Amino acid sequence: MSAREEILGRVREALGAEPAAVQPSALAEYRTESGLDEDALVELLVDRLEDYKARVEVVPRGNVAAAIRARLEGKEFAVPEGFPAEWLDPSLAERAVRDSREAPLAVVRLDGLDAVVTSSAVSIAETGTIVLDGSPDQGRRAISLVPDHHVCVVPVETIVGIVPEGFARLDTTRPLTLISGPSATSDIELERVEGVHGPRTLDVIIAR
């Protein structure tokens, strides 16, 4: 008898001939909706993101371009090929470096840029998490991780309350990037270091 067979035999013996059925009682009480209205969702998301050291602004949909310009004035930045044109005014569009599937920017080029601007797929208010799924308005994962400054637009209709609501809207076979504030980590002495695994500055513009 091999070690594997012996281990599996002991497991079967411990379980018995008829393993106990999984009890659904715990799942029955699992929350799938937050019940929060739009105002409450926005307030909670802003609170969580600011607690994570992100800079957040809530603006009318028509003011998104101006809000982006205020954060990227004078900077050279990456933008995914599907980013909405109405969110970039002409003065910014001249400095935008487009990243596309046909012509992806090299990592060294991304590292030399000041910032990146993307949209987002879903934002989860309770955890303060923004999810990018690689759609054309968000681009591939590298462009949101390499530049040191990320400006992210969050359409208000993409905000949900809790994690199950968020994943119900996502295709989990896509390359998901979950962002909860600027990149930060701590060593064994709890010294906070920013920018190790991604942008050290996160600007979030919530478009209502």
Side-chain angles (χ1 to χ4, degrees):
M1 178 182 294
S2 68
R4 178 177 181 274
E5 291 171 336
E6 182 180 355
I7 292 170
L8 292 177
R10 291 181 180 180
V11 171
R12 292 189 191 97
E13 184 179 353
L15 290 175
E18 296 293 335
V22 175
Q23 298 299 316
S25 57
L27 295 178
E29 299 177 1
Y30 193 69
R31 287 193 305 155
T32 58
E33 295 182 357
S34 67
L36 299 177
D37 62 19
E38 182 178 292
D39 289 339
L41 288 172
V42 171
E43 182 180 0
L44 182 58
L45 180 62
V46 170
D47 177 75
R48 294 294 192 269
L49 287 170
E50 288 182 340
D51 191 50
Y52 294 148
K53 312 300 183 187
R55 303 185 301 197
V56 189
E57 183 178 6
V58 182
V59 303
R61 191 69 58 114
N63 292 355
V64 170
I68 293 174
R69 184 178 64 247
R71 285 153 183 77
L72 296 178
E73 195 70 54
K75 294 186 176 183
E76 187 181 31
F77 60 95
V79 64
E81 59 184 335
F83 192 76
E86 65 270 19
W87 287 352
L88 286 180
D89 66 21
S91 66
L92 276 187
E94 292 176 357
R95 293 194 307 279
V97 181
R98 297 281 174 177
D99 183 84
S100 66
R101 294 182 183 276
E102 293 73 22
L105 298 171
V107 173
V108 66
R109 179 68 173 113
L110 286 171
D111 191 45
L113 296 175
D114 300 309
V116 60
V117 59
T118 73
S119 186
S120 55
V122 169
S123 293
I124 303 168
E126 188 173 70
T127 60
T129 303
I130 299 170
V131 185
L132 279 56
D133 69 359
S135 293
D137 61 348
Q138 298 150 56
R140 59 197 176 100
R141 181 174 289 154
I143 69 170
S144 65
L145 295 179
V146 177
D148 203 42
H149 180 191
H150 184 187
V151 178
C152 186
V153 180
V154 172
V156 72
E157 66 273 12
T158 66
I159 302 174
V160 299
I162 57 178
V163 171
E165 288 177 294
F167 276 88
R169 294 194 183 191
L170 293 165
D171 177 356
T172 55
T173 66
R174 297 184 63 84
L176 304 180
T177 303
L178 279 65
I179 303 167
S180 295
S183 169
T185 189
S186 297
D187 61 17
I188 197 169
E189 296 179 350
L190 300 182
E191 292 290 336
R192 180 182 172 95
V193 179
E194 297 178 347
V196 176
H197 308 296
R200 74 182 70 221
T201 302
L202 175 64
D203 277 313
V204 180
I205 299 169
I206 299 176
R208 296 194 77 169

